[in-house]
Amino acid sequence: MKLFFRLILTLTLSIIAWPLAAQAQLEIDITKGNLEPTPIAVPDFISQSDSGRAMGAQVAEVIRADLERSGLFESLSPAGFLEVQTNIDYEPTYSDWRIIKAEALVSGRIVEENANRIRVEFRLWDVFAGKQLAGIRLAATPENWRRTAHKASDAIYKALTGEEGYFDSRMVFIDEKGSKVERVRRLGIMDQDGANPQYLLAGSDLVLTPRFSPSSQKIVFLSYENTYPRLYILDIESGRRELLGDFPGMTYSPTFSPDGNQLVMSMERRGDSDIYVMDLNSRSTSRLTNDPAIDVSGSFSPDGRRIVFNSDRGGSPQLYVMNADGSGQNRISFGEGRYNAPVWSPRGDKIAFVRTLRGKFSIGVMDPDGKNERILTESYLDESPTWSPNGRVIAFTRETRGRGARSEIWSVDLTGQNLRRVETPGEASDPAWSPLLP
Amino acid sequence: MKPLKFLLLGGVVLGLTACASKPKPAPVQERPVTQAPQPAQPETVQQPPVTTTPNVGQDQPTPGSIEDFAYQSGGEPRVYFGYDQYTLSNEARNKLMQQANWLSNYSNMSAIIEGHADERGTREYNLALGARRAEAVRAFLVAQGIAPNRLSTVSYGKERPIDARANEEGWARNRNGFTNLTSGGVS
């Protein structure tokens, strides 16, 4: 079992900026969506050996897929490339890349230093300006080639957009099997692109709503393993699982505070749900809401000073924001419909939510003061939004209707322009995106 | 028919156990059961008509059994709720009176009351809603004199539907409170 949990990679991955770049000419405005994704060419990375070339092809493939999925880039097909570079330390023949309409070019190589260490080196070229934008060197163990490729994607994304990337990250999710009335759910984890899926728990108990700790090392989730729904924390690497206190009623709806020292959660007593924070060191709890309404889905702002939550105190479920001590509770959602499942963006500038209106479910975003509401999706059932580490993409659960109804994970960017299904081993729900891995 | 015989024998034993621990049980049925009572499978929220007096002349499960509890509760110990509601309808109250009567007669039995919601809400909100429904059922049974320590509640939110249909009829069946009988203490 223990091997099963050996997911946190013991890689020594260093990024070294390498003969560096002048000021960027090619800049991608991330706020405008993918109306015109930037064409980028990523040839297979070159190498001195067959094994290095094989890895170079895989690394380039992962980078192409990452950039393409972001919606900001169009990864050009290598079949159309004219120039074959044999040394990435020389400038490319820009005209060959202009002809195929590439605006950016990534030329890279794999250097196998020894059996346990590779270097992945690449240069990012601005094809139209005819200059280098970045030179990057990553060192890793060979088995970590995939994470290294994601790190490379993050570096390219950052060089071209000015924003942190999100490719070297993972998702926990709930794997779903069986018909609606005989559902079996398992806690799973995978890379953000759906690669390397694994199960984290052996049993078949009902588990729900997994959430990552800020360190990406722990997951808090709801389990029915002892009949009554309770919160548990799982340490991913050790596989150690711990019950978070046995309270008289249901404890559920957990998320970590940004410093990882607290949980915000809901506790139910005699049918009434209120929001509490639990200090994870002392295990003491303090109550933040105190009313007969449903108060659930608490989510900290990234500065830890405020909490957005879901309450039906006004008659229907709506979004409210309060200070982290429970003071100053104010409603922020005033649109038509029911508002649920708020999640504060890691950038702090937006709150994602689920809106229900006229029988349709939507993922939307609004500012923390309720302004600038924007609906990004609509379907029979879209729910459980979770933010990418850079606050630019939202992953969520989408359930289709009727016979053959499926539960899937989808993602959409902040502009609503880039709706995609996330590959999962089977049916899946409740994604929770990790921060960028250390 | 084999499972039915087994049920009958098991039911008699349960019934006798109930006799020993409770002074006034319903009389044990002597005649063989030829047809097991089928729990009602309503197509809609509408419940089959309810008989409040035990129908001793007809096929009937062994008193004190889980089947008997279902039978005496109108087919299934389950009450239904409106969309995003947790108040008990008159129909639900009538059914819960029957559950309370039965539970008064068999005081060795306890129950975990499950609260369920339909799929037209978000997961965490529905867990809260299910808890409200379970509590509404529990509080009613306690008000009828059932000892609180015999009743506990658990919310399954929308995670354990009984009807797979994605339409109003299916959703209506999935909005319910189910009295899940157990023996021994629950809280």
Short mmCIF file of all heavy atoms in Angstrom, two decimals, chain A residues 175-235:
data_model
loop_
_atom_site.label_atom_id
_atom_site.label_comp_id
_atom_site.label_asym_id
_atom_site.label_seq_id
_atom_site.Cartn_x
_atom_site.Cartn_y
_atom_site.Cartn_z
N ASP A 175 -13.43 9.45 -8.09
CA ASP A 175 -13.69 8.51 -9.17
C ASP A 175 -15.07 7.90 -8.95
O ASP A 175 -15.39 7.49 -7.84
CB ASP A 175 -12.59 7.44 -9.15
CG ASP A 175 -12.85 6.34 -10.16
OD1 ASP A 175 -12.53 6.55 -11.34
OD2 ASP A 175 -13.39 5.27 -9.78
N GLU A 176 -15.88 7.86 -9.99
CA GLU A 176 -17.26 7.40 -9.83
C GLU A 176 -17.53 6.20 -10.74
O GLU A 176 -17.19 6.21 -11.92
CB GLU A 176 -18.23 8.53 -10.21
CG GLU A 176 -17.98 9.81 -9.44
CD GLU A 176 -19.25 10.38 -8.85
OE1 GLU A 176 -20.32 9.79 -9.06
OE2 GLU A 176 -19.15 11.40 -8.16
N LYS A 177 -18.17 5.19 -10.16
CA LYS A 177 -18.52 4.00 -10.94
C LYS A 177 -19.93 3.55 -10.60
O LYS A 177 -20.40 3.74 -9.50
CB LYS A 177 -17.56 2.84 -10.58
CG LYS A 177 -16.24 2.90 -11.32
CD LYS A 177 -15.49 1.58 -11.17
CE LYS A 177 -14.20 1.65 -11.95
NZ LYS A 177 -13.32 2.71 -11.42
N GLY A 178 -20.58 2.94 -11.57
CA GLY A 178 -21.88 2.33 -11.32
C GLY A 178 -23.03 3.28 -11.60
O GLY A 178 -22.82 4.47 -11.84
N SER A 179 -24.24 2.73 -11.59
CA SER A 179 -25.42 3.53 -11.87
C SER A 179 -25.66 4.52 -10.74
O SER A 179 -25.08 4.40 -9.67
CB SER A 179 -26.64 2.63 -12.04
OG SER A 179 -27.06 2.18 -10.76
N LYS A 180 -26.53 5.49 -11.00
CA LYS A 180 -26.80 6.52 -9.99
C LYS A 180 -27.22 5.94 -8.64
O LYS A 180 -26.89 6.49 -7.60
CB LYS A 180 -27.93 7.41 -10.49
CG LYS A 180 -27.48 8.59 -11.31
CD LYS A 180 -28.68 9.49 -11.57
CE LYS A 180 -28.35 10.55 -12.58
NZ LYS A 180 -29.56 11.33 -12.93
N VAL A 181 -27.99 4.84 -8.69
CA VAL A 181 -28.51 4.30 -7.43
C VAL A 181 -27.58 3.27 -6.81
O VAL A 181 -27.86 2.76 -5.73
CB VAL A 181 -29.92 3.69 -7.63
CG1 VAL A 181 -30.91 4.78 -7.99
CG2 VAL A 181 -29.90 2.62 -8.71
N GLU A 182 -26.48 2.97 -7.48
CA GLU A 182 -25.49 2.05 -6.90
C GLU A 182 -24.09 2.61 -7.13
O GLU A 182 -23.22 1.94 -7.66
CB GLU A 182 -25.58 0.66 -7.53
CG GLU A 182 -26.85 -0.08 -7.21
CD GLU A 182 -27.00 -1.32 -8.06
OE1 GLU A 182 -26.64 -1.28 -9.26
OE2 GLU A 182 -27.47 -2.33 -7.53
N ARG A 183 -23.92 3.83 -6.74
CA ARG A 183 -22.68 4.53 -7.03
C ARG A 183 -21.56 4.07 -6.11
O ARG A 183 -21.77 3.95 -4.90
CB ARG A 183 -22.93 6.02 -6.82
CG ARG A 183 -22.13 6.93 -7.70
CD ARG A 183 -22.53 6.82 -9.14
NE ARG A 183 -21.98 7.93 -9.90
CZ ARG A 183 -21.86 7.90 -11.21
NH1 ARG A 183 -22.23 6.84 -11.89
NH2 ARG A 183 -21.37 8.93 -11.85
N VAL A 184 -20.38 3.85 -6.67
CA VAL A 184 -19.19 3.59 -5.85
C VAL A 184 -18.20 4.71 -6.11
O VAL A 184 -17.89 5.02 -7.27
CB VAL A 184 -18.56 2.23 -6.21
CG1 VAL A 184 -17.29 2.01 -5.39
CG2 VAL A 184 -19.57 1.11 -5.97
N ARG A 185 -17.71 5.33 -5.05
CA ARG A 185 -16.83 6.47 -5.19
C ARG A 185 -15.50 6.22 -4.52
O ARG A 185 -15.45 5.65 -3.43
CB ARG A 185 -17.48 7.71 -4.58
CG ARG A 185 -18.71 8.18 -5.33
CD ARG A 185 -19.23 9.42 -4.64
NE ARG A 185 -20.27 10.08 -5.40
CZ ARG A 185 -21.55 9.77 -5.33
NH1 ARG A 185 -21.94 8.80 -4.53
NH2 ARG A 185 -22.44 10.43 -6.05
N ARG A 186 -14.43 6.65 -5.18
CA ARG A 186 -13.09 6.48 -4.62
C ARG A 186 -12.31 7.78 -4.77
O ARG A 186 -12.46 8.49 -5.76
CB ARG A 186 -12.35 5.36 -5.33
CG ARG A 186 -13.06 4.03 -5.22
CD ARG A 186 -12.38 2.99 -6.10
NE ARG A 186 -11.08 2.61 -5.54
CZ ARG A 186 -10.27 1.74 -6.12
NH1 ARG A 186 -10.60 1.18 -7.27
NH2 ARG A 186 -9.11 1.43 -5.57
N LEU A 187 -11.47 8.03 -3.79
CA LEU A 187 -10.64 9.22 -3.82
C LEU A 187 -9.46 8.98 -4.75
O LEU A 187 -8.72 8.02 -4.58
CB LEU A 187 -10.16 9.52 -2.39
CG LEU A 187 -9.30 10.76 -2.19
CD1 LEU A 187 -10.05 12.03 -2.58
CD2 LEU A 187 -8.86 10.85 -0.73
N GLY A 188 -9.28 9.86 -5.72
CA GLY A 188 -8.20 9.70 -6.68
C GLY A 188 -7.35 10.95 -6.77
O GLY A 188 -7.73 12.03 -6.29
N ILE A 189 -6.21 10.81 -7.38
CA ILE A 189 -5.32 11.95 -7.62
C ILE A 189 -4.68 11.78 -8.99
O ILE A 189 -4.46 10.64 -9.44
CB ILE A 189 -4.25 12.06 -6.50
CG1 ILE A 189 -3.48 13.38 -6.60
CG2 ILE A 189 -3.29 10.86 -6.52
CD1 ILE A 189 -2.65 13.69 -5.36
N MET A 190 -4.45 12.88 -9.67
CA MET A 190 -3.83 12.80 -11.00
C MET A 190 -3.13 14.13 -11.28
O MET A 190 -3.34 15.11 -10.58
CB MET A 190 -4.90 12.53 -12.06
CG MET A 190 -5.95 13.63 -12.17
SD MET A 190 -7.30 13.18 -13.27
CE MET A 190 -8.25 14.71 -13.22
N ASP A 191 -2.30 14.13 -12.32
CA ASP A 191 -1.72 15.39 -12.76
C ASP A 191 -2.85 16.26 -13.32
O ASP A 191 -3.90 15.75 -13.72
CB ASP A 191 -0.67 15.15 -13.85
CG ASP A 191 0.51 14.33 -13.33
OD1 ASP A 191 0.60 14.13 -12.10
OD2 ASP A 191 1.32 13.88 -14.17
N GLN A 192 -2.62 17.56 -13.42
CA GLN A 192 -3.69 18.44 -13.88
C GLN A 192 -4.15 18.11 -15.30
O GLN A 192 -5.26 18.44 -15.69
CB GLN A 192 -3.30 19.91 -13.80
CG GLN A 192 -1.98 20.30 -14.51
CD GLN A 192 -2.10 20.48 -16.00
OE1 GLN A 192 -3.17 20.77 -16.51
NE2 GLN A 192 -1.00 20.28 -16.72
N ASP A 193 -3.29 17.43 -16.08
CA ASP A 193 -3.70 17.07 -17.44
C ASP A 193 -4.30 15.67 -17.50
O ASP A 193 -4.53 15.14 -18.58
CB ASP A 193 -2.51 17.17 -18.40
CG ASP A 193 -1.34 16.28 -18.00
OD1 ASP A 193 -1.42 15.62 -16.95
OD2 ASP A 193 -0.35 16.24 -18.75
N GLY A 194 -4.55 15.06 -16.33
CA GLY A 194 -5.19 13.75 -16.30
C GLY A 194 -4.20 12.59 -16.32
O GLY A 194 -4.61 11.44 -16.20
N ALA A 195 -2.92 12.88 -16.42
CA ALA A 195 -1.92 11.80 -16.44
C ALA A 195 -1.69 11.27 -15.03
O ALA A 195 -1.99 11.94 -14.04
CB ALA A 195 -0.61 12.31 -17.03
N ASN A 196 -1.15 10.07 -14.94
CA ASN A 196 -0.78 9.43 -13.67
C ASN A 196 -1.92 9.33 -12.65
O ASN A 196 -1.73 9.62 -11.47
CB ASN A 196 0.39 10.18 -13.01
CG ASN A 196 1.64 10.14 -13.85
OD1 ASN A 196 1.94 9.10 -14.44
ND2 ASN A 196 2.34 11.26 -13.95
N PRO A 197 -3.11 8.90 -13.06
CA PRO A 197 -4.19 8.77 -12.07
C PRO A 197 -3.91 7.63 -11.10
O PRO A 197 -3.41 6.59 -11.49
CB PRO A 197 -5.42 8.47 -12.93
CG PRO A 197 -4.87 7.82 -14.16
CD PRO A 197 -3.53 8.47 -14.40
N GLN A 198 -4.20 7.87 -9.84
CA GLN A 198 -4.03 6.82 -8.82
C GLN A 198 -5.15 6.96 -7.79
O GLN A 198 -5.69 8.03 -7.59
CB GLN A 198 -2.70 7.00 -8.09
CG GLN A 198 -1.53 7.00 -9.03
CD GLN A 198 -0.23 6.66 -8.31
OE1 GLN A 198 -0.19 5.75 -7.50
NE2 GLN A 198 0.81 7.41 -8.62
N TYR A 199 -5.44 5.85 -7.13
CA TYR A 199 -6.40 5.89 -6.02
C TYR A 199 -5.65 6.08 -4.71
O TYR A 199 -4.58 5.55 -4.53
CB TYR A 199 -7.21 4.59 -5.96
CG TYR A 199 -8.05 4.37 -7.19
CD1 TYR A 199 -7.80 3.29 -8.02
CD2 TYR A 199 -9.07 5.25 -7.52
CE1 TYR A 199 -8.56 3.08 -9.16
CE2 TYR A 199 -9.82 5.07 -8.64
CZ TYR A 199 -9.58 3.97 -9.47
OH TYR A 199 -10.32 3.77 -10.58
N LEU A 200 -6.27 6.83 -3.82
CA LEU A 200 -5.59 7.15 -2.57
C LEU A 200 -6.10 6.35 -1.38
O LEU A 200 -5.45 6.29 -0.35
CB LEU A 200 -5.73 8.64 -2.25
CG LEU A 200 -4.92 9.56 -3.16
CD1 LEU A 200 -5.23 11.01 -2.87
CD2 LEU A 200 -3.43 9.29 -2.99
N LEU A 201 -7.27 5.77 -1.48
CA LEU A 201 -7.81 5.00 -0.36
C LEU A 201 -8.21 3.62 -0.86
O LEU A 201 -8.65 3.47 -1.99
CB LEU A 201 -9.05 5.69 0.24
CG LEU A 201 -8.85 7.08 0.84
CD1 LEU A 201 -10.20 7.68 1.23
CD2 LEU A 201 -7.94 7.00 2.06
N ALA A 202 -8.04 2.64 0.00
CA ALA A 202 -8.29 1.27 -0.41
C ALA A 202 -9.77 0.93 -0.38
O ALA A 202 -10.27 0.20 -1.22
CB ALA A 202 -7.52 0.32 0.49
N GLY A 203 -10.50 1.44 0.58
CA GLY A 203 -11.87 0.98 0.83
C GLY A 203 -12.88 1.49 -0.17
O GLY A 203 -12.54 2.18 -1.13
N SER A 204 -14.13 1.12 0.06
CA SER A 204 -15.19 1.55 -0.84
C SER A 204 -16.19 2.44 -0.11
O SER A 204 -17.33 2.55 -0.49
CB SER A 204 -15.91 0.33 -1.41
OG SER A 204 -16.42 -0.45 -0.35
N ASP A 205 -15.75 3.07 0.99
CA ASP A 205 -16.65 3.96 1.71
C ASP A 205 -16.95 5.19 0.87
O ASP A 205 -16.14 5.61 0.06
CB ASP A 205 -15.99 4.40 3.02
CG ASP A 205 -15.59 3.21 3.87
OD1 ASP A 205 -16.48 2.45 4.26
OD2 ASP A 205 -14.38 3.05 4.11
N LEU A 206 -18.13 5.73 1.12
CA LEU A 206 -18.51 6.96 0.43
C LEU A 206 -17.57 8.09 0.86
O LEU A 206 -17.45 8.40 2.04
CB LEU A 206 -19.96 7.31 0.76
CG LEU A 206 -20.50 8.62 0.20
CD1 LEU A 206 -20.38 8.66 -1.32
CD2 LEU A 206 -21.95 8.82 0.62
N VAL A 207 -16.88 8.68 -0.10
CA VAL A 207 -16.00 9.83 0.17
C VAL A 207 -16.41 10.98 -0.75
O VAL A 207 -16.79 10.77 -1.91
CB VAL A 207 -14.51 9.49 -0.04
CG1 VAL A 207 -13.99 8.63 1.09
CG2 VAL A 207 -14.29 8.81 -1.37
N LEU A 208 -16.31 12.20 -0.23
CA LEU A 208 -16.77 13.38 -0.96
C LEU A 208 -15.84 14.56 -0.69
O LEU A 208 -15.11 14.59 0.30
CB LEU A 208 -18.19 13.77 -0.51
CG LEU A 208 -19.32 12.75 -0.68
CD1 LEU A 208 -20.56 13.24 0.06
CD2 LEU A 208 -19.62 12.52 -2.15
N THR A 209 -15.93 15.54 -1.53
CA THR A 209 -15.36 16.89 -1.34
C THR A 209 -13.91 16.91 -0.85
O THR A 209 -13.62 17.48 0.20
CB THR A 209 -16.23 17.73 -0.36
OG1 THR A 209 -16.22 17.12 0.93
CG2 THR A 209 -17.64 17.86 -0.87
N PRO A 210 -12.97 16.30 -1.58
CA PRO A 210 -11.56 16.41 -1.19
C PRO A 210 -11.04 17.82 -1.47
O PRO A 210 -11.46 18.47 -2.43
CB PRO A 210 -10.86 15.40 -2.10
CG PRO A 210 -11.74 15.33 -3.32
CD PRO A 210 -13.15 15.53 -2.83
N ARG A 211 -10.14 18.31 -0.60
CA ARG A 211 -9.52 19.63 -0.79
C ARG A 211 -8.04 19.54 -0.42
O ARG A 211 -7.69 18.94 0.59
CB ARG A 211 -10.16 20.68 0.12
CG ARG A 211 -11.67 20.71 0.11
CD ARG A 211 -12.24 21.40 -1.12
NE ARG A 211 -13.68 21.47 -1.04
CZ ARG A 211 -14.51 21.03 -1.98
NH1 ARG A 211 -14.05 20.47 -3.08
NH2 ARG A 211 -15.81 21.14 -1.84
N PHE A 212 -7.20 20.22 -1.20
CA PHE A 212 -5.76 20.22 -0.97
C PHE A 212 -5.38 21.19 0.14
O PHE A 212 -5.96 22.27 0.26
CB PHE A 212 -5.03 20.68 -2.22
CG PHE A 212 -4.54 19.55 -3.08
CD1 PHE A 212 -5.12 19.29 -4.31
CD2 PHE A 212 -3.49 18.75 -2.65
CE1 PHE A 212 -4.66 18.26 -5.11
CE2 PHE A 212 -3.02 17.72 -3.44
CZ PHE A 212 -3.61 17.47 -4.67
N SER A 213 -4.34 20.81 0.88
CA SER A 213 -3.69 21.77 1.76
C SER A 213 -2.78 22.66 0.92
O SER A 213 -2.41 22.29 -0.20
CB SER A 213 -2.84 21.05 2.81
OG SER A 213 -1.70 20.48 2.20
N PRO A 214 -2.43 23.84 1.42
CA PRO A 214 -1.57 24.75 0.65
C PRO A 214 -0.21 24.14 0.32
O PRO A 214 0.44 24.54 -0.64
CB PRO A 214 -1.40 25.96 1.57
CG PRO A 214 -2.55 25.88 2.52
CD PRO A 214 -2.88 24.44 2.68
N SER A 215 0.24 23.16 1.10
CA SER A 215 1.53 22.52 0.82
C SER A 215 1.40 21.43 -0.23
O SER A 215 2.40 20.85 -0.64
CB SER A 215 2.07 21.90 2.10
OG SER A 215 1.24 20.81 2.48
N SER A 216 0.20 21.11 -0.65
CA SER A 216 -0.09 20.02 -1.58
C SER A 216 0.21 18.65 -0.98
O SER A 216 0.19 17.65 -1.69
CB SER A 216 0.70 20.14 -2.89
OG SER A 216 0.49 21.39 -3.47
N GLN A 217 0.51 18.58 0.30
CA GLN A 217 0.89 17.31 0.93
C GLN A 217 -0.29 16.61 1.58
O GLN A 217 -0.24 15.42 1.82
CB GLN A 217 1.94 17.56 2.02
CG GLN A 217 3.19 18.26 1.54
CD GLN A 217 4.13 17.33 0.82
OE1 GLN A 217 4.24 16.17 1.15
NE2 GLN A 217 4.81 17.84 -0.20
N LYS A 218 -1.31 17.37 1.88
CA LYS A 218 -2.43 16.78 2.62
C LYS A 218 -3.74 17.05 1.91
O LYS A 218 -3.89 18.03 1.18
CB LYS A 218 -2.49 17.36 4.04
CG LYS A 218 -1.32 16.87 4.87
CD LYS A 218 -1.35 17.48 6.25
CE LYS A 218 -0.20 16.88 7.06
NZ LYS A 218 -0.09 17.50 8.37
N ILE A 219 -4.69 16.16 2.17
CA ILE A 219 -6.02 16.31 1.61
C ILE A 219 -7.03 16.16 2.75
O ILE A 219 -6.94 15.22 3.53
CB ILE A 219 -6.29 15.22 0.55
CG1 ILE A 219 -5.33 15.37 -0.62
CG2 ILE A 219 -7.73 15.27 0.06
CD1 ILE A 219 -5.27 14.14 -1.49
N VAL A 220 -7.94 17.09 2.84
CA VAL A 220 -9.05 16.94 3.78
C VAL A 220 -10.27 16.52 2.97
O VAL A 220 -10.46 16.96 1.84
CB VAL A 220 -9.30 18.24 4.59
CG1 VAL A 220 -9.69 19.40 3.70
CG2 VAL A 220 -10.36 18.01 5.67
N PHE A 221 -11.05 15.60 3.52
CA PHE A 221 -12.21 15.10 2.77
C PHE A 221 -13.26 14.58 3.74
O PHE A 221 -13.00 14.38 4.93
CB PHE A 221 -11.79 14.01 1.79
CG PHE A 221 -11.18 12.79 2.43
CD1 PHE A 221 -11.94 11.65 2.65
CD2 PHE A 221 -9.86 12.80 2.83
CE1 PHE A 221 -11.38 10.54 3.27
CE2 PHE A 221 -9.29 11.69 3.45
CZ PHE A 221 -10.06 10.56 3.67
N LEU A 222 -14.44 14.35 3.19
CA LEU A 222 -15.57 13.83 3.96
C LEU A 222 -15.68 12.34 3.68
O LEU A 222 -15.63 11.92 2.52
CB LEU A 222 -16.86 14.53 3.52
CG LEU A 222 -18.15 14.09 4.20
CD1 LEU A 222 -18.14 14.51 5.66
CD2 LEU A 222 -19.35 14.70 3.50
N SER A 223 -15.81 11.54 4.75
CA SER A 223 -15.99 10.10 4.54
C SER A 223 -17.08 9.58 5.46
O SER A 223 -17.28 10.06 6.57
CB SER A 223 -14.68 9.36 4.84
OG SER A 223 -14.92 7.96 4.83
N TYR A 224 -17.79 8.55 4.97
CA TYR A 224 -18.82 7.86 5.74
C TYR A 224 -18.29 6.55 6.30
O TYR A 224 -19.06 5.64 6.58
CB TYR A 224 -20.04 7.59 4.86
CG TYR A 224 -20.88 8.81 4.54
CD1 TYR A 224 -20.41 9.79 3.68
CD2 TYR A 224 -22.15 8.97 5.10
CE1 TYR A 224 -21.19 10.90 3.37
CE2 TYR A 224 -22.93 10.07 4.80
CZ TYR A 224 -22.45 11.03 3.94
OH TYR A 224 -23.23 12.12 3.63
N GLU A 225 -16.98 6.42 6.45
CA GLU A 225 -16.45 5.11 6.83
C GLU A 225 -16.93 4.65 8.18
O GLU A 225 -16.97 3.46 8.45
CB GLU A 225 -14.92 5.09 6.72
CG GLU A 225 -14.21 5.99 7.72
CD GLU A 225 -12.69 5.88 7.56
OE1 GLU A 225 -12.19 6.37 6.54
OE2 GLU A 225 -12.05 5.29 8.42
N ASN A 226 -17.29 5.56 9.07
CA ASN A 226 -17.88 5.14 10.35
C ASN A 226 -19.36 5.53 10.41
O ASN A 226 -19.83 6.08 11.39
CB ASN A 226 -17.12 5.77 11.51
CG ASN A 226 -15.78 5.10 11.72
OD1 ASN A 226 -15.69 3.87 11.67
ND2 ASN A 226 -14.75 5.89 11.92
N THR A 227 -20.08 5.22 9.35
CA THR A 227 -21.52 5.47 9.24
C THR A 227 -21.85 6.95 9.18
O THR A 227 -22.55 7.40 8.28
CB THR A 227 -22.31 4.82 10.40
OG1 THR A 227 -21.99 3.43 10.43
CG2 THR A 227 -23.81 5.00 10.19
N TYR A 228 -21.33 7.71 10.14
CA TYR A 228 -21.68 9.12 10.21
C TYR A 228 -20.63 9.96 9.47
O TYR A 228 -19.44 9.73 9.63
CB TYR A 228 -21.81 9.56 11.67
CG TYR A 228 -22.91 8.79 12.37
CD1 TYR A 228 -22.61 7.73 13.21
CD2 TYR A 228 -24.24 9.11 12.13
CE1 TYR A 228 -23.62 6.99 13.81
CE2 TYR A 228 -25.26 8.38 12.73
CZ TYR A 228 -24.95 7.32 13.57
OH TYR A 228 -25.95 6.60 14.15
N PRO A 229 -21.07 10.93 8.67
CA PRO A 229 -20.13 11.72 7.88
C PRO A 229 -19.21 12.57 8.76
O PRO A 229 -19.68 13.37 9.56
CB PRO A 229 -21.03 12.59 7.00
CG PRO A 229 -22.39 12.51 7.61
CD PRO A 229 -22.47 11.25 8.39
N ARG A 230 -17.91 12.36 8.57
CA ARG A 230 -16.90 13.06 9.36
C ARG A 230 -15.74 13.47 8.45
O ARG A 230 -15.53 12.88 7.41
CB ARG A 230 -16.34 12.14 10.46
CG ARG A 230 -17.36 11.71 11.50
CD ARG A 230 -17.72 12.84 12.45
NE ARG A 230 -18.67 12.41 13.48
CZ ARG A 230 -19.99 12.54 13.41
NH1 ARG A 230 -20.54 13.08 12.34
NH2 ARG A 230 -20.76 12.13 14.39
N LEU A 231 -14.97 14.45 8.92
CA LEU A 231 -13.82 14.90 8.15
C LEU A 231 -12.56 14.12 8.52
O LEU A 231 -12.34 13.80 9.69
CB LEU A 231 -13.59 16.40 8.41
CG LEU A 231 -14.69 17.31 7.89
CD1 LEU A 231 -14.37 18.76 8.22
CD2 LEU A 231 -14.86 17.13 6.39
N TYR A 232 -11.77 13.87 7.52
CA TYR A 232 -10.50 13.17 7.71
C TYR A 232 -9.42 13.95 6.97
O TYR A 232 -9.69 14.60 5.95
CB TYR A 232 -10.56 11.76 7.13
CG TYR A 232 -11.54 10.87 7.85
CD1 TYR A 232 -12.91 10.96 7.59
CD2 TYR A 232 -11.10 9.94 8.79
CE1 TYR A 232 -13.82 10.16 8.26
CE2 TYR A 232 -12.00 9.13 9.46
CZ TYR A 232 -13.36 9.25 9.20
OH TYR A 232 -14.26 8.45 9.86
N ILE A 233 -8.20 13.86 7.48
CA ILE A 233 -7.05 14.40 6.76
C ILE A 233 -6.15 13.24 6.35
O ILE A 233 -5.86 12.36 7.16
CB ILE A 233 -6.28 15.42 7.62
CG1 ILE A 233 -7.02 16.76 7.62
CG2 ILE A 233 -4.86 15.63 7.07
CD1 ILE A 233 -6.25 17.91 8.22
N LEU A 234 -5.77 13.24 5.09
CA LEU A 234 -4.88 12.21 4.57
C LEU A 234 -3.55 12.85 4.22
O LEU A 234 -3.51 13.86 3.51
CB LEU A 234 -5.51 11.59 3.32
CG LEU A 234 -4.66 10.59 2.55
CD1 LEU A 234 -4.51 9.30 3.32
CD2 LEU A 234 -5.28 10.32 1.17
N ASP A 235 -2.48 12.26 4.72
CA ASP A 235 -1.15 12.67 4.29
C ASP A 235 -0.80 11.85 3.06
O ASP A 235 -0.74 10.62 3.11
CB ASP A 235 -0.14 12.42 5.42
CG ASP A 235 1.24 12.92 5.05
OD1 ASP A 235 1.92 12.25 4.23
OD2 ASP A 235 1.63 13.97 5.55
#
